[in-house]
Structure formats: C-alpha cells, structure tokens
Amino acid sequence: MSIFRWVGVFLLVALISGCGGDSKFRTYNGPEVTRVIVMKNKREMYLMHGSKKLKSYDIGLGFAPVGDKWVEGDGRTPEGTYIIDRRNPNSRYHLSVGMNYPNVIDVAQAKALGQRPGGDIFIHGQGPYYKKGAPRDWTAGCIAVTDRQMEDIYAMVKDGTPITILP
C-alpha cells in the first residue's frame, strides 16, 4: 500500500472517530452508590457509599417545593423512601432515572382524598425545554440537575438503589 493510501486511511479513521462528539453516556468505575439522599430544604442531593458522601449536587424541585406530594398535579416533590427502578436514555430532559413513586402509602393517601397520586417522578437534567432564567424549582415534582451532572448520576446510580427524600 502506498504512503498516500495509508495517509488517506488514517485521515478517514480520524474523521469518523471525531464525528461522534461528546457522548452523554459516561462510565463510572468508583465505589458503588448505595443510597441517594435528597434534602429538599437545602436543595441538595447526595450520592452515598455507606456513610461516605461520593458526590453532592444543587437541585431544583417541583414548582411547589414545600410539603409532601399528595395528589397528581400539585407540583410537589414526594417525601419518603423509594427505589430507583428505571432509566430513560431518551428523556426530553436529557437523561433521567425514575423512582417507584407512588408506593402503597402514596396511593392510599391520594385515594382518601378522592384523587390520583400522580407518577413519573424522576431525577433528570434540563434538556432543551428548560428555560434560562426559570425559577430554581421548575419541575412538575421531579428533581432536576444540570445535563452534565445528570450524565454522572446516570452512570453512577444503578436500578435498585434506594432514594430517601427528606423535607
């Protein structure tokens, strides 16, 4: 093979490998995240390994951030302990991981009020729908971080991880 062909093949490989850009899917090889803790009053979320804090994030909450979620559409972020049980790589908010809200207690509370508890509570990024200058608490009840932070969370937090959301 001539030198020109080798140069051409090298340039083609370099061009193709450069087309991918930054992937939103990251890898994580550190200690296992054994629990996620959300402190609503501080607007902070912690990724924990046992009692050691691995990462902390400033967060946004539902547009009505004070109090527990009782019914669908109330704009509140639920309080209690749940499990991360799904992930959405095609979320309209960049990436997201979902939790098993509502649980049996949440359903019973909403039913007692003659309402539905709602659902689809996620930790998610901002995505293209987040408006610059929007209030800090802008979601319908989810927990929001930046897209870049969500990439780390998506890589670090596995399905089955408990999440405790405190007032």
Side-chain angles (χ1 to χ4, degrees):
M1 205 183 247
S2 74
I3 188 75
F4 293 113
R5 260 199 179 147
W6 280 111
V7 169
V9 168
F10 174 78
L11 289 174
L12 182 61
V13 168
L15 179 65
I16 291 171
S17 66
C19 289
D22 284 339
S23 172
K24 65 182 179 179
F25 300 105
R26 307 215 175 268
T27 58
Y28 174 70
N29 297 314
E32 176 187 7
V33 175
T34 58
R35 175 170 296 282
V36 177
I37 299 175
V38 174
M39 306 288 288
K40 287 173 58 174
N41 63 338
K42 293 182 178 183
R43 302 299 190 279
E44 292 180 353
M45 180 172 66
Y46 312 119
L47 304 187
M48 307 292 294
H49 175 74
S51 61
K52 181 181 179 196
K53 189 185 308 177
L54 299 174
K55 290 271 194 171
S56 63
Y57 300 96
D58 290 328
I59 59 169
L61 299 169
F63 61 82
V66 177
D68 193 5
K69 181 167 196 60
W70 285 81
V71 298
E72 185 173 48
D74 65 7
R76 293 183 178 158
T77 302
E79 297 170 359
T81 298
Y82 301 93
I83 301 294
I84 300 297
D85 66 349
R86 62 196 179 281
R87 50 195 59 242
N88 184 355
N90 300 311
S91 170
R92 67 186 293 188
Y93 299 105
H94 192 57
L95 292 169
S96 61
V97 293
M99 61 192 81
N100 68 333
Y101 175 88
N103 62 26
V104 174
I105 295 168
D106 300 316
V107 171
Q109 287 173 335
K111 187 175 181 180
L113 297 170
Q115 302 282 324
R116 295 178 0 183
D120 286 338
I121 301 296
F122 286 82
I123 302 168
H124 62 66
Q126 295 171 322
Y129 298 95
Y130 175 78
K131 305 287 187 240
K132 297 290 181 205
R136 181 179 197 172
D137 299 319
W138 60 275
T139 75
C142 295
I143 299 161
V145 295
T146 68
D147 289 348
R148 178 64 179 94
Q149 291 169 333
M150 192 60 225
E151 292 170 5
D152 289 339
I153 294 163
Y154 196 88
M156 293 175 74
V157 177
K158 303 300 178 206
D159 289 358
T161 302
I163 177 170
T164 301
I165 305 169
L166 302 168

